[in-house]
Amino acid sequence: ADEAELVHMVHTLAKIDDMPTALRYPSASAYGELALPAEPRFLEPGRGRIVREGRDNTLAILSVGGRLRECLVAAAELEQYGVSATVADARWVKPLDEKLLSMLATDHKVLLTVEENSIGGFSAQVHQTLLEGGHLDGIGRTPLVIRSLMFPDRWIDHNQPFLQYDDAGLNANQIVAKACATLERAGIKLSEDVANDDRAVRIARA
């Protein structure tokens, strides 16, 4: 997710000696905005974290890997639509933090997953866990509306990373667009009022 998390995760993998463990991280430069931890700490396997607390229990964005920063940018942009999004970092693809996932699914109307994997990766595990947990049944509550952003199942040309992510639909503006479309699908209507050349965007919940 960022350079500080990388320090902790490398330390964590060095401490795990009772099972095979793999760490995947981008080969690009770090953001350079965070001070590196003086003392790395052990990250409990299968335990994610809430990075940004939403205020209205409408939308949760669950990220795994290097797109967390873009998810936070997207969440900030969604504020102009009146949407206060929760952003969570799964940290681990396996084991999945089922407690965190259940909390996000129970407390929000819409869930987006964001990952740097292809179809059948992290989101497939999330969907299966939600299915088995009854979160998509619609019994006793409105069923959760879930959508996933991932690498498309096609060739992506070599280019600058930002442009490759843009081609894949994984940059902040595309996360915002997906969120808005999914919110409307869930019956949460986004409408725009333009007056005196000032753009005011309000959210009306159906």
Side-chain angles (χ1 to χ4, degrees):
D2 56 50
E3 52 267 47
E5 280 286 296
L6 179 59
V7 170
H8 295 315
M9 194 60 78
V10 170
H11 171 76
T12 298
L13 264 66
K15 294 292 185 180
I16 297 175
D17 60 2
D18 59 348
M19 66 184 71
T21 312
L23 170 64
R24 179 183 175 192
Y25 59 93
S27 59
S29 300
Y31 297 123
E33 298 172 352
L34 300 175
L36 296 182
E39 293 290 335
R41 57 188 175 87
F42 185 83
L43 302 178
E44 181 181 345
R47 178 67 62 87
R49 59 175 178 148
I50 298 291
V51 182
R52 184 187 196 270
E53 289 275 6
R55 298 185 303 276
D56 55 18
N57 295 334
T58 299
L59 170 67
I61 303 174
L62 178 59
S63 170
V64 67
R67 293 286 86 193
L68 178 62
R69 179 188 174 96
E70 292 297 305
C71 291
L72 289 169
V73 172
E77 291 181 8
L78 283 164
E79 290 284 347
Q80 69 176 319
Y81 295 92
V83 178
S84 179
T86 295
V87 179
D89 176 15
R91 276 182 170 154
W92 301 84
V93 174
K94 293 182 69 175
L96 181 66
D97 189 340
E98 296 187 8
K99 183 177 179 181
L100 173 63
L101 179 58
S102 179
M103 183 272 291
L104 295 174
T106 300
D107 293 348
H108 299 83
K109 297 179 178 68
V110 172
L111 175 65
L112 294 186
T113 66
V114 183
E115 63 180 304
E116 296 174 282
N117 297 299
S118 58
I119 296 170
F122 174 72
S123 66
Q125 295 186 74
V126 169
H127 287 218
Q128 183 64 26
T129 300
L130 292 174
L131 281 169
E132 293 297 328
H135 294 284
L136 308 182
D137 294 346
I139 298 175
R141 58 157 286 175
T142 302
L144 177 73
V145 179
I146 179 171
R147 296 292 185 270
S148 295
L149 292 90
M150 65 196 76
F151 286 143
D153 190 18
R154 60 172 173 78
W155 177 259
I156 296 178
D157 287 331
H158 178 75
N159 211 326
Q160 298 175 20
F162 177 85
L163 296 176
Q164 289 181 304
Y165 284 124
D166 207 54
D167 186 14
L170 291 175
N171 282 331
N173 63 318
Q174 293 150 324
I175 298 172
V176 169
K178 190 74 167 183
C180 289
T182 310
L183 287 164
E184 293 210 0
R185 177 67 176 171
I188 301 168
K189 303 297 183 182
L190 300 171
S191 61
E192 298 182 6
D193 290 335
V194 180
N196 300 323
D197 295 327
D198 291 329
R199 180 173 179 171
V201 186
R202 72 174 187 275
I203 182 168
R205 288 174 175 78

